Amino acid sequence: MNQKLTRIEVVMADVKEKIATVIYMPESRLPSVRAAAKDYGFSPSTVVEAYERLQTEGIIYSRPGAGFYVAETTAPLSLTDIAPKIDRVVDPLWVSRQSLEPPDGALKPGCGWLPADWLFEAGIRRGLRNVAKADASIISEYATPLGLLALRQLLTWRMAGLSINAEPSQIILTDSGTQAIDLIFRFLLTPGDTVVVDDPCYFNFRAQLLAHRVKVVGVPYTPNGPDVEAFAAILYEHKPRLYITNAAIHNPTGATLSPATAYRVLQLAQAAGLYIIEDDIFADFEVKPAARLAALDGLSRVFYIGSFSKTLSASLRCGYIAAPMEWIESLVDLKIATGFGGSQLAAAVVFSALTDSGYRKHMNDIHTRLASARTHTLPRLAKLGIVPWLLPQAGMFLWCRLPENNNATELANRCLSKGVVLAPGNVFSQSDNAENFMRFNVAQMSHSKVFEVLAQSLD
């Protein structure tokens, strides 16, 4: 765990974060030494020393008799440096790295995907064989700007089953769901804009928004969706440009958006001129379809995105965006500018796997295995005093409250030293009010060591 920062370092870190997230714009004046000292609760000499050190680093400069100003050219963006968390265990980038490159033999109940042997390996292998026999252009040439037509046609059929009406020409294939989100951020946002996220929300939403240097505001999430009254207050006070959320199964809570909440959110968004990104990556985990903002909105202000890494293979990087027709050309231009042609190979294998006769059975098996895993996991957590915020009907996540006097960050550190990677609550919380919550992935909790380490590490 990192050592506690000095008061001078606290001031420096705060100023760097506000510059990086464009709260302090280039050439803008910093708060006076006296005002900053009052805000921080530190002595003026502490603020003076912090400002002078920042000036030495070239981050700010002084104007005699006029105060300190943000430099026009600042240091290159470092997400780890500007992240608001001092302790790396509650940093989304840290969690991602630990899950993607865990210590040898580590268990990963905090990760966000299924074990490798749960995925559709047989269908992927058949897809690879099919593509190997296909036209040589599939394995040798760039994709068209929109991407493989056959897969886009299949997506329109799948979306129609959720009452989302779209033409293949309204769908852009991307290299992943993450790229889909990044393209929309590039299209819609400029530094200093405000974006609303659920609190809690998928932690990589926060990491991506940090990279785009925007202001992020969290709306409390309830078992039925975002708190509508709080959402309305945020729209009035902050005038955000965008709201990003999960469809179907919410990450990390496992909650489901109710139709009534969906209608109200869309009414408020339309009145406020707010755009929405609806991430439906967990669609195939649903047992009973939930309301979709994109369906109710008719793809008017909603960007609908998804990918196949959770059900098919994380190695096949293929996602998509469904959007209003008038936005497609600009999004395609951004896609070409930032990634040129997509992967025809990945798209063709995904198409083959999704149309494989075994895919439906595969997902039925996944539903059964996840239900069994929840049944197995819940009582074992209960014995440790760990209780779910709600009982989800589908999906892999449990959003759980820890026993009293247990801090999720500290618990995650202790468990990591024993070879268990966890996902502490404040990774997901914009307001940092989830220090006694933890997200567990029931599909990754079959090993008894997970519960043994938790038992040993809880206070």
Side-chain angles (χ1 to χ4, degrees), residues 103-273:
D104 290 342
L107 302 174
K108 300 180 290 185
C111 79
W113 51 85
L114 298 176
D117 60 2
W118 284 42
L119 294 172
F120 194 31
E121 180 181 342
I124 295 300
R125 291 188 181 278
R126 285 192 290 270
L128 288 167
R129 289 194 294 270
N130 291 337
V131 172
K133 300 173 185 176
D135 188 280
S137 64
I138 295 293
I139 61 175
S140 60
E141 296 182 5
Y142 290 114
T144 60
L146 289 176
L148 185 68
L149 176 59
L151 180 54
R152 290 187 287 116
Q153 290 172 330
L154 177 63
L155 288 171
T156 63
W157 177 79
R158 286 166 58 91
M159 291 164 59
L162 299 170
S163 299
I164 301 170
N165 296 317
E167 298 296 325
S169 55
Q170 288 180 262
I171 298 174
I172 305 169
L173 299 187
T174 62
D175 287 339
S176 65
T178 300
Q179 190 202 29
I181 293 170
D182 183 66
L183 287 174
I184 299 168
F185 284 174
R186 291 172 185 268
F187 175 60
L188 284 181
L189 302 176
T190 57
D193 282 345
T194 298
V195 177
V196 183
V197 299
D198 299 323
D199 195 349
C201 72
Y202 171 43
F203 54 68
N204 209 46
F205 290 166
R206 298 177 62 211
Q208 285 185 272
L209 289 166
L210 186 65
H212 282 271
R213 304 181 185 227
V214 297
K215 180 182 178 182
V216 183
V217 179
V219 58
Y221 208 77
T222 78
N224 296 314
D227 182 310
V228 173
E229 291 186 5
F231 191 75
I234 288 169
L235 298 191
Y236 177 79
E237 179 180 355
H238 296 281
K239 307 295 189 293
R241 181 158 176 79
L242 178 67
Y243 168 50
I244 181 168
T245 188
N246 289 122
I249 301 167
H250 184 256
N251 183 6
T253 67
T256 299
L257 179 68
S258 73
T261 300
Y263 275 114
R264 186 60 181 138
V265 165
L266 286 173
Q267 287 176 336
L268 291 168
Q270 184 174 16

Side-chain angles (χ1 to χ4, degrees), residues 251-444:
N251 183 6
T253 67
T256 299
L257 179 68
S258 73
T261 300
Y263 275 114
R264 186 60 181 138
V265 165
L266 286 173
Q267 287 176 336
L268 291 168
Q270 184 174 16
L274 180 78
Y275 296 105
I276 297 174
I277 297 176
E278 186 173 37
D279 180 2
D280 205 3
I281 193 171
F282 298 109
D284 284 358
F285 290 92
E286 278 187 307
V287 177
K288 180 181 178 181
R292 296 301 198 277
L293 293 169
L296 299 174
D297 172 72
L299 287 178
S300 174
R301 305 197 66 84
V302 176
F303 295 81
Y304 179 79
I305 70 128
S307 78
F308 313 97
S309 60
K310 306 301 183 184
T311 58
L312 292 178
S313 167
S315 291
L316 284 173
R317 308 305 291 159
C318 183
Y320 60 90
I321 302 170
M325 201 61 227
E326 62 266 27
W327 297 338
I328 294 298
E329 285 300 311
S330 295
L331 287 168
V332 167
D333 286 346
L334 276 173
K335 175 187 171 182
I336 294 173
T338 57
F340 207 70
S343 172
Q344 284 202 97
L345 180 60
V349 176
V350 164
F351 175 76
S352 180
L354 290 174
T355 55
D356 188 290
S357 60
Y359 182 69
R360 183 184 296 274
K361 181 180 183 301
H362 163 69
M363 286 313 305
N364 287 338
D365 289 344
I366 292 297
H367 295 162
T368 300
R369 295 181 76 173
L370 285 173
S372 176
R374 282 193 296 275
T375 300
H376 170 81
T377 299
L378 285 166
R380 300 188 75 176
L381 289 176
K383 288 181 180 179
L384 301 174
I386 300 173
V387 296
W389 180 69
L390 60 73
L391 293 175
Q393 301 304 306
M396 65 184 83
F397 299 130
L398 292 175
W399 181 241
C400 293
R401 189 186 303 274
L402 299 175
E404 190 174 354
N405 299 322
N406 278 272
N407 180 281
T409 299
E410 295 172 0
L411 176 62
N413 265 325
R414 291 194 291 269
C415 289
L416 180 62
S417 69
K418 299 172 183 176
V420 175
V421 180
L422 296 176
N426 273 348
V427 165
F428 306 89
S429 176
Q430 183 63 26
S431 60
D432 296 338
N433 66 357
E435 64 276 357
N436 63 333
F437 280 85
M438 193 78 76
R439 188 194 72 179
F440 293 102
N441 180 345
V442 297
Q444 299 278 359

Side-chain angles (χ1 to χ4, degrees), residues 35-103:
K38 182 178 180 181
D39 289 342
Y40 290 116
F42 299 159
S43 68
S45 62
T46 295
V47 176
V48 169
E49 178 65 20
Y51 280 7
E52 289 181 349
R53 291 190 189 182
L54 290 167
Q55 185 172 210
T56 300
E57 294 180 18
I59 294 171
I60 65 174
Y61 67 94
S62 63
R63 293 179 183 172
F68 291 87
Y69 291 77
V70 179
E72 178 65 32
T73 302
T74 58
L77 174 67
S78 169
L79 296 184
T80 56
D81 287 345
I82 68 174
K85 305 303 179 191
I86 295 170
D87 191 331
R88 285 286 279 158
V89 85
V90 290
D91 177 347
L93 299 170
W94 183 95
V95 171
S96 296
R97 287 189 177 193
Q98 292 296 332
S99 295
L100 290 168
E101 193 176 15

